[in-house]
Amino acid sequence: MKILVVNPNTSASMTNAIAETARRAASPGTEILAVQPDYGPEAIDCAMESYLSAVAVMDRILTLGEPYDAVVLAGFGEHGREGVQEIVDVPVLDIAECSACVAQLIGRNYSVVTTLQRSVGAIEDRLRLAGLADRCASVRSCGLSTLDVDRDPAAAMEAIVAEAERAVRADHAEVICLGCGGMAGLDEAITARVGVPVVDGVSAGVRLAEAVAGLGLGTSKVCTYAPPDPKAITAWPLSRHIAAADR
Amino acid sequence: MKILVVNPNTSASMTNAIAETARRAASPGTEILAVQPDYGPEAIDCAMESYLSAVAVMDRILTLGEPYDAVVLAGFGEHGREGVQEIVDVPVLDIAECSACVAQLIGRNYSVVTTLQRSVGAIEDRLRLAGLADRCASVRSCGLSTLDVDRDPAAAMEAIVAEAERAVRADHAEVICLGCGGMAGLDEAITARVGVPVVDGVSAGVRLAEAVAGLGLGTSKVCTYAPPDPKAITAWPLSRHIAAADR
Amino acid sequence: MKILVVNPNTSASMTNAIAETARRAASPGTEILAVQPDYGPEAIDCAMESYLSAVAVMDRILTLGEPYDAVVLAGFGEHGREGVQEIVDVPVLDIAECSACVAQLIGRNYSVVTTLQRSVGAIEDRLRLAGLADRCASVRSCGLSTLDVDRDPAAAMEAIVAEAERAVRADHAEVICLGCGGMAGLDEAITARVGVPVVDGVSAGVRLAEAVAGLGLGTSKVCTYAPPDPKAITAWPLSRHIAAADR
Amino acid sequence: MKILVVNPNTSASMTNAIAETARRAASPGTEILAVQPDYGPEAIDCAMESYLSAVAVMDRILTLGEPYDAVVLAGFGEHGREGVQEIVDVPVLDIAECSACVAQLIGRNYSVVTTLQRSVGAIEDRLRLAGLADRCASVRSCGLSTLDVDRDPAAAMEAIVAEAERAVRADHAEVICLGCGGMAGLDEAITARVGVPVVDGVSAGVRLAEAVAGLGLGTSKVCTYAPPDPKAITAWPLSRHIAAADR
Amino acid sequence: MKILVVNPNTSASMTNAIAETARRAASPGTEILAVQPDYGPEAIDCAMESYLSAVAVMDRILTLGEPYDAVVLAGFGEHGREGVQEIVDVPVLDIAECSACVAQLIGRNYSVVTTLQRSVGAIEDRLRLAGLADRCASVRSCGLSTLDVDRDPAAAMEAIVAEAERAVRADHAEVICLGCGGMAGLDEAITARVGVPVVDGVSAGVRLAEAVAGLGLGTSKVCTYAPPDPKAITAWPLSRHIAAADR
Amino acid sequence: MKILVVNPNTSASMTNAIAETARRAASPGTEILAVQPDYGPEAIDCAMESYLSAVAVMDRILTLGEPYDAVVLAGFGEHGREGVQEIVDVPVLDIAECSACVAQLIGRNYSVVTTLQRSVGAIEDRLRLAGLADRCASVRSCGLSTLDVDRDPAAAMEAIVAEAERAVRADHAEVICLGCGGMAGLDEAITARVGVPVVDGVSAGVRLAEAVAGLGLGTSKVCTYAPPDPKAITAWPLSRHIAAADR
């Protein structure tokens, strides 16, 4: 089985880190193909960047020219899953949703610890639309941006563990979801210090993708996620129209 | 007061129709500036097209180079409002949300009549995230695409009126919202035949934009809709990087 | 356009203050007619007073004998809107609902700062029935009654600003609604100290009334808000039966 | 124990019928005191009438001058309970809420069959605010006004039974609540024809009043339902100021 | 009237205490028959124990061989009510649900103070399924197990009163429900110190059972709670198959 | 990896069928251990039977004496998951929850087609408590009991397909979950005739168990699902006390 894991931002180092996490989580025999968009932000911390990356991700997938058995979108709370579901037939999974799914299977409720406060709303919205918010005890911010987390993992660790402890004590969370791709690898430290299971989104996404594809299931094409009807779309895919010199 | 009305698709004829509706609805003294994106679909009927148009709309607004007092996004159920709220300071209103706001002020509940069944979910999601779904009696599809409505207004009228009648009879809707920019102008026929007030989104958007801007209020910049932090964004705004030959 | 603004209590000084706020908020060309009931409480802080004022307001409107284009009910969380919607044809707006509408258009969520803790429930109920509670982060009490706010505006200011700060810090509110007619004029101080937009209900009500009436829309009469069926009603309107000596 | 049962309208024949039902439902040793307001509508089918009756009921209770152990408000979906809770210390029960309470104790869910479609919303609202809407399968209208039901009980019976059958078949209701004081006595016919238990509101109210008063409990006075603070209230109680000639 | 009160655990001292509370709460003329299961835990603090006691309770009731007019299940948040509703015809009431019912009739909202934090979820779940969670301000743990409460009533009293005070101050609870059978008798102390009415579940259950049975109503048998269809059930009732030597 | 699949009823033929389905769904290298309880009903169609089977399932697991990596409970809507989560450390998955999880990953919403109407409520309750009801379009009954489905698979097929078609047409379901263990194997027929993906619960359970156990995660033991505290439990496990002759 081959799983396409898409880092929604343009940071090659994050793509590599995500690929590594994905490979560690995958079953023997699963191949991971990790890609990133050709344009868009180097990290995603707001709606403007999220929408742009959603389009860049769809573009990257449309122009990939290689087969795969499932797609994992490695942005936590980012836009775009529904769009990708329309343009491919294989299962398309989003790591925020996969984290919540797994968390609900192993605990009564869960909290998400994410980066900036301004991203809390976006994650709450995505979980809500996915029908997975009901047992979310809280979405909490550790006060650092995605780039901060990337730059200083040790400081990030402290901030994230502190917030996870608050979620367990104050919100009675029984599972913690790491609300940012760049947080992979902190699971053990949090479990050790807070005493609850920790779900990493990329790992959860890869394993659930194996499960769904293994069941022989794909996205329902009967209505919402049917392929787009043919129509005139100016300059799409955009990547083919962005001047070579810019890239 | 000058209101920027943005048609999210690339159809010049729809931009003109929207501009006309907006001018008819505006107070004396309000100037309407109607624009459309440089790239993207000629009509929007799915998530892929909606995301693409959200980016193209942000791009168009970022590169406009002209002042205005408020923005009205003229897509019903389309993505993008939060992104535009981050990049401008004036109020940014979405016609789906404005329709629901006005409908709730004049009736106990409301139904939306939109184009294809596949768009129903997107509209439900947008109303839900906007906190305006609670008094929505139903979102109903008339079975025609945006382009169908544009091409054969007489047939569309029949289909829309029939669905509005069902909403009133079966769902006890007390107000009907026209769930597609291309439906402007059908209000009177529906009111005449179904006996309930009808809200046109573009008109509602223009009047609410006047109201909010007139109150001296702009988007709250304290958290979610603060301006994006500076960071490297490859090829953004995209319009400046799409090869001249393509346009 | 002429807007009837109804102070639900019998305090002439509050009626004057409300009229002044309404005139300041109105567009050029809008005329404000401010009235108060003939009977009922001088301020409204509980359900008993709220129900009484609802009847006194309907009575005042029924016996007014003067045309207008829209009604704004200037009580925050008070009962009565649905009753007035039945007895007049023009749009009838309630300032609690208008505040929430405007707040939702400019921020992800909002908090209300009101007078006494005992009024919190009434406001939550009204917002909930209006379908506007979903994005309400909190309704908070500043601990002062309506009369306290009226008597000592400087002390009230401090209490209200302090509570608004708590709403922003603890509840992550992005907009503050002033939950009492007597609080008009505090907007600037709160915005200056707390950094979020502040919505005054009377101002919001006037501008939304202009918007809805300007769209040519009135209350839907198809079901819930149809005129009352003719029947025997003892001593109604009550004002005509209350002994002259009492007034 | 003495229970004050208040018919919210001014129809003496309905007061008598309610008193009779209440007496039939009461335990041995319980005394029923049935009263009606001095002013207001002869039947209640809309919000205007409901608000007026709420005030007239509070007025009647304030001026009663006689002790009792609990109050049962015999209007289904009418306003006013919270106001009465503020002005008396004994338990105050509303028949819509009591019907739902009892129904939930004996079935998985329940439907209400009421009079006109325009009253459906008022009942839904009251159940919702009372926290009892979650297991309400539906509120259905039989198409007859309160006065129609009063005038032609045989025709009303047919219409109500037909609607109850629809609730059971289409909404899977397991209990039916009679959503109008004038419907008392139809229980047996519906149970016989539809096969589900039927709850009459006045009977449920009397028995629950006995239960709550028997437990030695009264309304919590700690916050929302504390007695009104003293203040100037023009012409209150209104009944003392309505000119003698009018009565 | 004879009411069967079932202590779900196997502690004879708790059965006696429950019987005493039930008798004190009952109307004159009501007979209380208190029983306990033949097998299962001596106290119930988790789901495993709760499920086991649900079966033991059904078993005890099936093999009782004595008539009664209503059943009160005296576990707070325990499983089993729906099962008992299927196997008997008379009303079956659960004390968690009865507490919430009564609390809602006398206050705007209520909080539950229960034993261990791990039981909070079970109580929230039961109230939610019963459609009674909407006006629940909080379910709070006093940190003691059921056996702790039983062993040291004085220490329990302090812990429970402290938590009730927090519920009133922080959650604005207006009524407190004692969330454990073993807490009966603390009502007065809490009311004295916290100033709000306190509902004891067993007492509420007995009085509501009298009310529902007094109305001549039983569980609806039309669908969910119809008697089980005949089928092969190995070793049921279990009590008849548990070896004599074990008992 | 070894997965323990528990048929909650005592029918050996159903245990065999479930084992077969589980083995077909499992990844290469996964071993399936299928067991059934020692006592309880041969099929489960009501709450009484469901509670009994929950206890019998816990009993069977407690007395198994063999290691495994995850547990799959193969009853759709049955009670018991939380109890098993307390008594084992490995992940414990319920097929109703797993079906909904997988369905939500591949479609906007889903419907469940189950056996009798009386089981609809139990399934709705389980999905709701699991936080998975939000995107459930409907739970529909095909009108046949579990034993009927087992006895006449051809007739069952027709009834189930017909109901699935109704779910797709009337409720706009995009995925169908088979709401009964005995329905495994109908997926292809429904997909062929209705055009939507079909999720079989046992298969989904096995694949998700592999995923969660593969991630190295187990049930959170921090609060709700901690092991039961030691205490006296009469005759537990029951299987050791049921007289040998009975078995």
Side-chain angles (χ1 to χ4, degrees), chain E residues 220-245:
Chain E
S220 176
K221 292 288 172 180
V222 78
C223 179
T224 306
Y225 303 131
D229 287 325
K231 65 181 55 154
I233 307 187
T234 305
W236 181 244
L238 300 172
S239 56
R240 300 224 172 105
H241 298 258
I242 293 178

Side-chain angles (χ1 to χ4, degrees), chain F residues 6-99:
Chain F
V6 190
N7 172 20
N9 65 44
T10 52
S11 156
S13 70
M14 284 199 222
T15 305
N16 288 341
I18 286 169
E20 218 173 290
T21 301
R23 282 184 194 114
R24 220 168 20 233
S27 295
T30 295
E31 183 187 347
I32 299 296
L33 174 60
V35 301
Q36 69 186 50
D38 296 325
Y39 49 90
E42 62 179 329
I44 305 170
D45 293 299
C46 68
M48 186 271 266
E49 294 160 2
S50 174
Y51 281 124
L52 177 53
S53 85
V55 167
V57 162
M58 291 191 298
D59 194 330
R60 187 73 187 83
I61 289 173
L62 268 179
T63 56
L64 185 67
E66 205 177 320
Y68 40 84
D69 299 295
V71 180
V72 172
L73 301 176
F76 205 99
E78 261 59 280
H79 290 98
R81 180 189 35 84
E82 313 91 279
V84 180
Q85 284 179 300
E86 293 169 357
I87 61 179
V88 303
D89 286 333
V90 299
V92 178
L93 281 67
D94 165 293
I95 64 166
E97 296 171 27
C98 289
S99 295

Side-chain angles (χ1 to χ4, degrees), chain C residues 102-193:
Chain C
V102 167
Q104 293 190 162
L105 292 172
I106 59 172
R108 178 174 165 80
N109 63 12
Y110 66 93
S111 284
V112 175
V113 178
T114 188
T115 51
L116 298 173
Q117 180 63 36
R118 75 177 301 167
S119 297
V120 167
I123 292 173
E124 289 174 344
D125 283 357
R126 181 133 288 270
L127 291 173
R128 197 173 177 198
L129 290 188
L132 296 166
D134 193 50
R135 293 176 69 185
C136 179
S138 55
V139 180
R140 285 174 166 271
S141 150
C142 72
L144 303 171
S145 73
T146 305
L147 291 175
D148 291 338
V149 170
D150 202 41
R151 272 182 221 122
D152 189 347
M157 162 86 82
E158 279 314 303
I160 293 163
V161 169
E163 207 60 37
E165 276 171 344
R166 271 178 221 118
V168 172
R169 264 203 323 267
D171 310 330
H172 300 296
E174 304 196 357
V175 180
I176 296 293
C177 293
L178 296 175
C180 170
M183 291 177 180
L186 301 182
D187 346 8
E188 282 172 34
I190 298 179
T191 298
R193 284 166 63 175

Side-chain angles (χ1 to χ4, degrees), chain E:
Chain E
M1 186 178 303
K2 184 155 78 176
I3 297 177
L4 175 65
V5 178
V6 190
N7 172 20
N9 65 44
T10 52
S11 156
S13 69
M14 284 199 222
T15 306
N16 288 341
I18 286 169
E20 220 174 287
T21 301
R23 284 188 190 109
R24 221 170 17 236
S27 296
T30 295
E31 183 187 347
I32 299 296
L33 173 61
V35 301
Q36 69 185 49
D38 296 325
Y39 50 90
E42 62 178 329
I44 305 170
D45 294 299
C46 68
M48 185 271 266
E49 294 160 4
S50 174
Y51 282 124
L52 177 54
S53 86
V55 167
V57 162
M58 290 190 300
D59 193 331
R60 186 74 187 84
I61 288 172
L62 267 181
T63 57
L64 186 67
E66 208 177 317
Y68 40 82
D69 299 295
V71 180
V72 172
L73 300 176
F76 204 99
E78 262 60 282
H79 290 97
R81 179 188 36 84
E82 313 91 278
V84 181
Q85 284 180 301
E86 292 169 359
I87 61 179
V88 305
D89 286 334
V90 299
V92 178
L93 280 67
D94 164 293
I95 65 167
E97 296 172 26
C98 289
S99 295
C101 270
V102 168
Q104 292 190 164
L105 292 172
I106 61 172
R108 179 177 164 76
N109 62 13
Y110 66 93
S111 283
V112 175
V113 178
T114 189
T115 51
L116 298 174
Q117 180 64 36
R118 73 178 301 167
S119 298
V120 167
I123 293 173
E124 288 174 346
D125 283 357
R126 183 132 287 270
L127 292 173
R128 195 172 179 199
L129 290 188
L132 295 166
D134 193 49
R135 292 176 68 185
C136 178
S138 55
V139 180
R140 283 174 168 271
S141 150
C142 72
L144 303 172
S145 74
T146 305
L147 291 176
D148 291 338
V149 170
D150 202 41
R151 272 182 221 123
D152 189 347
M157 162 86 82
E158 279 315 302
I160 293 162
V161 169
E163 206 61 36
E165 276 171 343
R166 272 179 219 116
V168 172
R169 264 203 323 270
D171 310 330
H172 300 296
E174 304 196 357
V175 180
I176 296 293
C177 292
L178 296 175
C180 170
M183 293 177 180
L186 301 182
D187 344 10
E188 282 172 35
I190 297 178
T191 299
R193 285 166 64 175
V194 195
V196 300
V198 173
V199 180
D200 167 64
V202 171
S203 306
V206 167
R207 282 282 180 169
L208 290 189
E210 291 178 351
V212 176
L215 286 163
L217 293 168
T219 300
S220 176
K221 292 288 172 180
V222 78
C223 179
T224 306
Y225 303 131
D229 287 325
K231 65 181 55 154
I233 307 187
T234 305
W236 181 244
L238 300 172
S239 56
R240 300 224 172 105
H241 298 258
I242 293 178
D246 293 328
R247 274 175 271 179

